[in-house]
């Protein structure tokens, strides 16, 4: 565990140095580094026949492109001034450039190809969700899964350890649903709940904040159902996946414990 913690700390510091550019931070929000995704990357590659410099390069490259995708996504629903929006777009492009440079320097063309396919899938499914092209709940949820996990699925396939894929997909999906649910409950914007509203209440022109309590409860029940299904897959993976380190297992259990089904919460408060 100590070895994983040390590797995680070293690589996280490298990621932070790459994205926390003093000039950029004057004009854009601080880029979000998903530490759970970084820990998953390190955990997958730690058991492979890689030197630390190779592991570090792959993890840093993948996290940079993930941050670039997240930075570009921030623009879609952002009310920021035009100049700030343009700079945020450029920041995302800058992070993408760092990613390409790292992998190009390593001359790993096959890895670039694998991650590029992941980027393509992420962007296609983002368009589907944000532009409300999905025709049903299941398709929306499937697209969210791809957006959250495509890069990591491609990486695990590249290293021929795709037994991780179902676990990774459900873990990142679970985490995204938790965040969307939190935003919804705090009356903040939620891409997922907006998409669900259009499907469940297609004739309702009210904003999501203006839905009745019963309508909001209905949306929450749908999301809770998917949270429960993914939670079971994750718990099964915790028992079956080889080489899960203690640090990762502890973090996953903390994440699972954050889920409080709406119906149960309602009963407890009542």
């Amino acid at each position: 565990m100590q070895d994983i913690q040390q590797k995680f700390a070293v690589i996280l510091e490298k990621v932070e140095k790459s994205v926390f550019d003093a000039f950029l931070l004057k004009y854009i929000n601080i880029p979000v580094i998903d530490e759970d995704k970084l820990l998953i990357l390190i955990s997958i590659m730690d058991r492979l026949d890689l030197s630390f410099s190779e592991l570090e390069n792959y993890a840093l490259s993948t996290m940079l492109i993930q941050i670039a995708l997240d930075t570009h996504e921030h623009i879609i629903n952002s009310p920021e001034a035009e100049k700030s929006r343009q700079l945020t777009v450029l920041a995302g492009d800058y992070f993408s450039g760092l990613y390409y440079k790292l992998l190009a320097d390593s001359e790993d063309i096959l890895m670039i190809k694998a991650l590029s396919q992941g980027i393509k899938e992420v962007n296609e499914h983002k368009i589907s969700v944000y532009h409300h092209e999905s025709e049903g709940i299941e398709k929306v949820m499937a697209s969210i899964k791809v957006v959250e996990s495509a890069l990591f699925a491609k990486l695990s396939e590249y290293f021929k350890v795709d037994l991780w894929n179902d676990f990774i997909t459900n873990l990142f999906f679970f985490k995204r649903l938790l965040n969307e649910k939190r935003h919804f409950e705090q009356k903040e914007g939620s891409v997922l709940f907006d998409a669900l509203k259009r499907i469940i209440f297609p004739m309702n022109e009210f904003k999501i904040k203006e839905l009745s309590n019963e309508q909001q409860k209905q949306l929450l029940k749908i999301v809770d159902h998917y949270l429960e299904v993914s939670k079971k897959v994750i718990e099964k993976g915790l028992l079956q996946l080889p080489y899960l380190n203690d640090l990762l297992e502890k973090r996953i259990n903390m994440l699972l414990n954050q889920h409080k089904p709406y119906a149960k919460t309602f009963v407890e408060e009542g």
Side-chain angles (χ1 to χ4, degrees):
M1 180 171 174
Q2 184 63 30
D3 185 46
I4 287 288
Q5 285 179 324
Q6 290 173 344
K7 290 176 180 177
F8 176 79
V10 169
I11 297 173
L12 177 60
E13 184 178 0
K14 287 282 184 71
V15 176
E16 290 174 340
K17 284 183 178 179
S18 297
V19 300
F20 292 163
D21 181 272
F23 175 77
L24 286 176
L25 293 181
K26 292 180 181 178
Y27 302 100
I28 67 169
N29 292 328
I30 296 175
V32 176
I33 300 171
D34 191 324
E35 296 186 8
D36 293 324
K37 289 184 176 179
L38 176 58
L39 181 55
I40 283 282
L41 283 172
I42 295 170
S43 298
I44 290 174
M45 293 188 289
D46 191 52
R47 294 287 176 168
L48 303 176
D49 186 22
L50 298 173
S51 67
F52 177 70
S53 63
E54 289 174 322
L55 186 155
E56 180 183 63
N57 192 57
Y58 287 133
L60 180 56
S61 301
T62 307
M63 288 306 299
L64 282 172
I65 198 59
Q66 180 66 61
I67 293 166
L69 289 167
D70 292 343
T71 301
H72 283 149
E73 184 171 350
H74 173 75
I75 291 298
I76 298 173
N77 287 331
S78 173
E80 295 173 341
E82 184 61 25
K83 179 179 178 181
S84 182
R85 288 168 61 86
Q86 290 174 352
L87 286 167
T88 304
V89 170
L90 291 174
D93 293 343
Y94 170 68
F95 301 145
S96 296
L98 292 177
Y99 144 76
Y100 282 112
K101 183 179 186 305
L102 278 168
L103 285 185
D105 287 348
S106 70
E107 298 183 350
D108 197 333
I109 304 303
L110 293 178
M111 173 62 87
I112 293 176
K113 184 177 180 180
L115 290 179
S116 295
Q117 182 60 36
I119 294 166
K120 179 175 179 287
E121 291 182 12
V122 168
N123 286 328
E124 287 174 350
H125 285 269
K126 275 186 182 178
I127 290 170
S128 177
V129 174
Y130 279 94
H131 292 278
H132 311 292
E133 295 177 356
S134 299
E135 297 175 355
I137 295 171
E138 193 62 36
K139 287 187 176 180
V140 170
M141 295 302 186
S143 287
I144 293 290
K145 283 184 177 181
V146 173
V147 167
E148 290 301 313
S149 61
L151 286 182
F152 302 85
K154 294 302 177 185
L155 181 134
S156 66
E157 289 170 9
Y158 174 81
F159 285 119
K160 296 180 173 55
V161 287
D162 45 355
L163 75 164
W164 280 82
N165 277 4
D166 197 36
F167 181 79
I168 291 171
T169 297
N170 280 278
L171 178 62
F172 295 154
F173 178 61
F174 183 88
K175 183 174 179 178
R176 176 67 181 261
L177 292 189
L178 280 182
N179 288 333
E180 294 287 340
K181 183 179 175 182
R182 189 178 302 115
H183 288 315
F184 177 73
E185 290 176 331
Q186 294 173 355
K187 309 299 181 185
E188 299 171 354
S190 166
V191 174
L192 174 60
F193 278 84
D194 281 340
L196 293 178
K197 172 190 167 293
R198 288 176 179 268
I199 294 168
I200 305 301
F201 310 116
M203 304 304 291
N204 191 325
E205 296 182 359
F206 289 144
K207 293 180 179 179
I208 199 157
K209 296 177 184 178
E210 299 169 343
L211 293 176
S212 69
N213 288 337
E214 192 60 34
Q215 289 171 326
Q216 292 185 31
K217 182 178 177 181
Q218 189 173 344
L219 296 181
L220 284 165
K221 283 183 176 179
I222 292 169
V223 173
D224 277 346
H225 166 72
Y226 282 91
L227 279 164
E228 289 293 334
V229 171
S230 280
K231 184 177 181 180
K232 289 178 182 177
V233 176
I234 296 164
E235 289 173 336
K236 183 179 179 181
L238 286 172
L239 297 174
Q240 295 182 345
L241 271 177
Y243 312 129
L244 270 179
N245 59 75
D246 291 342
L247 182 61
L248 179 58
E249 192 168 347
K250 180 179 178 182
R251 175 56 198 163
I252 291 170
N253 282 316
M254 286 175 60
L255 196 61
L256 293 177
N257 289 334
Q258 290 179 26
H259 172 43
K260 296 182 183 296
Y262 175 79
K264 182 179 179 181
T265 304
F266 181 79
V267 171
E268 288 174 349
E269 290 178 351

